[in-house]
């Protein structure tokens, strides 16, 4: 705790306001444990590392070792072969690129302010 307080004081002295507030906020929140959970075939949550590894092994084994991988890929309740594909126009692509650029700018601005 003493090291954290010294770090905050150093940041304040050197006008590192952003870093100072980041340290203060991180200290106020305390340790935030991140859960890594996946569901098995039965829909139950698996938190055990060994069980999660087995689920991923089974998933990729099934996905990569089939004659026709499209049968495993579904969109909603439809198989990929049944999904209608829309024709893309140049305007659709330009609009998607503009939206991506705007999203990136917003993300950068959010990172600057946080």
């Amino acid at each position: 705790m003493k090291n954290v307080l010294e770090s905050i004081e150093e940041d304040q002295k050197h006008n590192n306001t952003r870093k100072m507030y980041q340290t203060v906020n991180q200290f106020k929140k305390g340790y935030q444990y991140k859960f890594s959970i996946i569901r098995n075939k039965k829909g139950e949550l698996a938190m055990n590392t060994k069980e999660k590894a087995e689920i991923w092994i089974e998933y990729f084994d099934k996905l990569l070792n089939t004659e026709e991988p499209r049968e495993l890929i579904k969109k909603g309740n439809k198989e990929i072969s049944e999904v209608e594909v829309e024709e893309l126009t140049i305007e659709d692509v330009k609009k998607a690129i503009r939206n991506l650029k705007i999203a990136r700018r917003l993300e950068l601005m959010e990172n600057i302010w946080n």
Side-chain angles (χ1 to χ4, degrees), residues 13-112:
K13 285 179 189 176
H14 298 293
N15 292 327
N16 292 333
T17 310
R18 183 170 186 259
K19 188 171 183 229
M20 179 188 75
Y21 279 111
Q22 284 177 338
T23 308
V24 169
N25 289 333
Q26 185 180 15
F27 184 72
K28 284 194 314 188
K29 289 179 185 176
Y31 179 73
Q32 301 287 319
Y33 184 78
K34 305 237 187 247
F35 289 101
S36 176
I37 303 171
I38 59 174
R39 291 189 184 272
N40 59 17
K41 283 186 174 182
K42 298 175 186 174
E44 300 166 340
L45 297 176
M47 293 178 64
N48 182 354
T49 307
K50 186 175 179 182
E51 188 178 355
K52 288 189 297 187
E54 290 172 4
I55 292 169
W56 282 114
I57 288 170
E58 183 180 335
Y59 171 77
F60 282 111
D61 184 52
K62 185 176 179 184
L63 183 67
L64 299 173
N65 296 318
T66 60
E67 292 279 330
E68 184 62 43
R70 288 176 169 249
E71 65 192 35
L72 296 175
I73 302 171
K74 295 185 177 185
K75 183 176 182 180
N77 290 333
K78 296 181 179 181
E79 290 192 10
I80 195 83
S81 58
E82 299 172 4
V83 176
E84 296 176 16
V85 179
E86 296 179 19
E87 294 277 333
L88 287 178
T89 64
I90 292 176
E91 286 304 314
D92 292 335
V93 174
K94 287 179 180 178
K95 185 177 179 182
I97 291 171
R98 275 195 305 271
N99 290 341
L100 182 61
K101 287 179 181 177
I102 291 169
R104 285 188 180 157
R105 287 182 189 145
L106 289 173
E107 185 180 331
L108 286 172
M109 289 172 55
E110 187 176 297
N111 288 338
I112 289 171

Side-chain angles (χ1 to χ4, degrees), residues 1-13 20 23-24 27:
M1 188 168 166
K2 183 178 179 183
N3 291 338
V4 173
L5 292 174
E6 288 174 358
S7 171
I8 293 170
E9 288 174 358
E10 283 293 316
D11 291 335
Q12 186 180 17
K13 285 179 189 176
M20 179 188 75
T23 308
V24 169
F27 184 72

